[in-house]
């Protein structure tokens, strides 16, 4: 199958984003910055910061439906060239000067097709070639304008985009279900352990503000071990064991696709210090403070710069996880974090963090509900990983025309 090859500048126009500083922060208009790209396909509009648009934002700086944003400049070269597809922005939104906007002007281009094309290895490799190495230092309008891209017939572009969008719709639906499950378990925790409306609360006496039979204790009272991972920086290898850090904990799960491997020898060194197992909790105590995941896989992996909670009893696992991910817990702990340039929770601090501990029979009842919710949440996440793998395997074959559509 042979498709025409054209320069992107024949299909689109480009614009750099706005320049602003701390004095512009405030309320007024949301702005997409490099931090908002992650590995997303579309922006998460609810996560955007706002700036005061006065004297900074012009009408032409507002993104539109079907625009595509690229990371133009960043200290991390691996981020250069990452893209976001703008679809149905809910309000006026602008973008930072570290980004470039691509806006299609040709009726020969179906923007959603190009949104997927720009995520393929083919385009990343092409962009990297301009830098003479693995990564480019900066992306600019000239590079984008001269970027050679395949141009299938518009109908073919639409069919390819529709195929890939099917996977993304399923992933989005699962993410919404995961969010609802997370909200339900958080609300259950608040009802029982914050508002003290646990089963049978009507007949329980309150003594000095604490239900009778409950005790103020410390996190280690619920753990057989509370430790942390390595603080070293083992070298990356082609295969071996995943090394998980706080930045790999996303929305309550470990994203192993972002991790790198370390050698079996290095892994064994880490395992002597800490051994994550199914049902354990890993909690970022430096950098990405407070990100948390309940370990839901059986294979071995190593951890770095995260705390590891090993529940003393199996049914403590869900209670500990929800307690540590509760927003009130995180706010309270963050206010006491150590460090100036980079905040952190020391193991001593975590071991001395107090917690109101209910009787085991209450925790068991909570676990009976919570465990089912967490298991369903985990299944949805694993299904998403399979969908992403299938989509990402299909993507290059659709983009190079090896699969007829």
């Amino acid at each position: 199958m042979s498709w025409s090859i054209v320069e992107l500048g024949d299909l689109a126009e480009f614009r750099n984003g706005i320049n602003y500083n701390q004095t512009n922060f405030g309320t007024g208009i949301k702005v997409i910055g490099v931090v908002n790209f992650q590995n997303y396909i579309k922006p998460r509009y609810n996560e955007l910061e706002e700036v005061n648009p006065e004297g900074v934002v012009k009408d032409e700086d507002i993104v539109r439906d079907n625009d595509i944003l690229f990371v133009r400049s960043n200290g991390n070269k691996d981020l250069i060239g990452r893209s976001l597809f703008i679809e149905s922005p809910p309000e006026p939104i602008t973008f930072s000067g570290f980004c470039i906007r691509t806006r299609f002007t040709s009726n020969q281009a179906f923007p959603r097709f190009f949104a997927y094309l720009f995520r393929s290895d083919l385009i990343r490799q092409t962009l990297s070639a301009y830098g003479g190495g693995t990564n480019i230092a900066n992306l600019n309008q000239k590079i984008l304008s001269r970027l050679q891209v395949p141009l299938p017939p518009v109908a073919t572009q639409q069919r390819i985009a529709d195929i890939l969008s099917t996977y993304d719709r399923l992933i989005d639906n699962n993410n919404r279900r995961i969010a609802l499950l997370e909200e339900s378990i958080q609300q259950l925790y608040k009802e029982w352990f914050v508002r003290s409306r646990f089963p049978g609360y009507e007949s329980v006496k309150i003594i000095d503000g604490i239900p009778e039979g409950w005790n103020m204790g410390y996190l280690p009272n619920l753990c057989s071990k509370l430790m942390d991972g390595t603080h070293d920086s083992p070298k990356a290898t082609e295969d071996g064991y995943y090394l998980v850090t706080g930045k790999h904990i996303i929305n309550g799960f470990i994203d192993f696709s972002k991790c790198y491997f370390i050698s079996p020898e290095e892994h064994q060194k880490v395992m002597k210090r800490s051994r994550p197992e199914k049902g354990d909790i890993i909690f970022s105590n430096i950098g990405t403070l407070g990100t948390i995941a309940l370990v839901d896989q059986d294979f071995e992996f190593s951890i770095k710069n995260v705390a590891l909670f090993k529940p003393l009893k199996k049914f403590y696992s869900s209670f500990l996880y929800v307690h540590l991910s509760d927003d009130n817990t995180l706010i309270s702990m963050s206010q006491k974090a150590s460090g100036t340039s980079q905040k952190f929770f020391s193991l001593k601090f975590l071991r001395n963090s107090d917690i109101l501990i209910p009787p085991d029979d209450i925790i068991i009842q909570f676990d009976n509900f919570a465990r089912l919710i967490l298991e369903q949440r985990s299944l949805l996440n694993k299904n998403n990983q399979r969908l992403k793998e299938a989509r990402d395997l299909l993507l290059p074959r659709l983009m190079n025309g090896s699969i007829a559509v």
Side-chain angles (χ1 to χ4, degrees):
M1 182 180 298
S2 178
W3 292 339
S4 300
I5 302 295
V6 301
E7 290 188 347
L8 185 59
D10 295 333
L11 305 173
E13 61 183 18
F14 311 96
R15 183 177 179 84
N16 291 355
I18 65 169
N19 293 309
Y20 59 94
N21 54 43
Q22 290 185 339
T23 62
N24 301 116
F25 284 114
T27 58
I29 188 167
K30 290 183 176 179
V31 57
I32 297 172
V34 173
V35 69
N36 304 117
F37 279 70
Q38 303 290 329
N39 202 31
Y40 304 147
I41 290 176
K42 295 180 287 188
R44 298 192 175 183
Y45 297 111
N46 61 321
E47 297 178 0
L48 303 181
E49 291 183 333
E50 291 189 25
V51 295
N52 183 342
E54 188 174 350
V56 177
V57 182
K58 302 175 182 177
D59 289 343
E60 51 266 39
D61 297 318
I62 305 299
V63 297
R64 296 180 191 168
D65 202 26
N66 290 323
D67 284 347
I68 296 175
L69 298 182
F70 288 93
V71 175
R72 180 177 70 87
S73 177
N74 189 258
N76 182 355
K77 292 184 179 181
D78 185 55
L79 295 177
I80 308 301
R82 287 198 184 184
S83 59
L84 283 176
F85 182 55
I86 305 300
E87 186 175 56
S88 304
E91 58 188 285
I93 291 171
T94 187
F95 58 106
S96 84
F98 294 102
C99 307
I100 298 177
R101 182 187 66 207
T102 299
R103 177 169 293 167
F104 289 92
T105 55
S106 170
N107 58 13
Q108 291 182 289
F110 187 66
R112 193 150 42 94
F113 165 81
F114 285 92
Y116 284 110
L117 177 68
F118 295 146
R119 297 180 64 81
S120 69
D121 288 340
L122 172 67
I123 295 302
R124 288 292 302 171
Q125 290 164 7
T126 304
L127 289 174
S128 297
Y130 282 91
T134 305
N135 299 106
I136 58 174
N138 288 285
L139 183 63
N140 57 49
Q141 295 186 28
K142 184 177 180 180
I143 292 175
L144 278 178
S145 181
R146 292 182 177 179
L147 186 66
Q148 293 191 330
V149 295
L151 187 66
V154 173
T156 302
Q157 294 179 45
Q158 291 175 329
R159 285 196 295 271
I160 290 174
D162 287 344
I163 290 169
L164 295 170
S165 293
T166 299
Y167 288 90
D168 288 325
R169 282 195 296 272
L170 291 171
I171 292 169
D172 286 344
N173 286 338
N174 284 343
N175 282 335
R176 282 191 287 271
R177 293 171 65 188
I178 288 170
L180 289 172
L181 289 169
E182 181 73 25
E183 176 65 19
S184 69
I185 198 173
Q186 292 292 340
Q187 288 304 319
L188 182 66
Y189 173 86
K190 291 181 187 299
E191 185 71 5
W192 286 26
F193 305 118
V194 178
R195 305 183 188 102
S196 296
R197 295 175 182 172
F198 51 89
Y201 75 94
E202 301 93 339
S203 59
V204 175
K205 293 181 180 179
I206 304 298
I207 302 174
D208 295 329
I210 298 175
E212 188 175 20
W214 295 43
N215 296 291
M216 285 302 301
Y218 300 98
L219 289 174
N221 295 140
L222 297 173
C223 300
S224 60
K225 291 182 181 179
L226 200 174
M227 64 202 82
D228 60 0
T230 182
H231 300 289
D232 298 329
S233 298
K235 291 182 179 179
T237 56
E238 290 187 6
D239 55 23
Y241 294 87
Y242 290 116
L243 181 65
V244 174
T245 70
K247 68 181 181 181
H248 303 127
I249 304 172
I250 300 173
N251 297 326
F253 298 103
I254 303 169
D255 187 349
F256 288 99
S257 70
K258 297 180 181 295
C259 301
Y260 64 82
F261 291 111
I262 62 173
S263 70
E265 293 76 19
E266 290 290 347
H267 173 67
Q268 288 305 316
K269 291 179 185 178
V270 180
M271 292 291 274
K272 289 179 182 179
R273 182 183 181 97
S274 54
R275 181 186 294 269
E277 297 173 304
K278 191 172 184 178
D280 290 350
I281 296 157
I282 59 174
F283 181 83
S284 179
N285 60 334
I286 187 169
T288 52
L289 275 187
T291 56
I292 183 172
L294 181 63
V295 179
D296 61 356
Q297 55 277 318
D298 294 311
F299 59 81
E300 290 186 7
F301 62 92
S302 288
I303 56 174
K304 174 185 174 182
N305 293 340
V306 295
L308 176 67
F309 294 79
K310 285 188 166 293
L312 183 63
K313 299 177 182 178
K314 186 177 180 180
F315 57 82
Y316 286 169
S317 183
S318 59
F319 175 73
L320 262 174
Y321 169 79
V322 184
H323 170 75
L324 288 167
S325 56
D326 177 65
D327 49 4
N328 290 324
T329 301
L330 291 176
I331 291 170
S332 175
M333 292 176 68
S334 297
Q335 291 172 343
K336 304 170 186 175
S338 303
T340 52
S341 59
Q342 187 175 45
K343 296 292 185 179
F344 66 92
F345 300 136
S346 67
L347 279 184
K348 181 179 179 181
F349 168 78
L350 292 175
R351 287 169 178 156
N352 286 284
S353 294
D354 53 20
I355 180 174
L356 182 60
I357 303 175
D360 275 3
D361 66 307
I362 297 294
I363 298 179
I364 289 171
Q365 291 182 67
F366 178 78
D367 180 65
N368 288 337
F369 289 107
R371 183 167 27 87
L372 294 176
I373 294 173
L374 291 169
E375 287 174 355
Q376 188 176 358
R377 187 174 164 274
S378 176
L379 287 173
L380 288 168
N381 182 62
K382 289 176 180 177
N383 188 34
N384 270 358
Q385 298 310 311
R386 288 190 289 269
L387 288 167
K388 289 176 183 177
E389 289 170 6
R391 180 199 64 199
D392 293 344
L393 284 172
L394 192 58
L395 177 62
R397 301 182 68 189
L398 286 169
M399 291 304 170
N400 64 22
S402 63
I403 297 179
V405 295

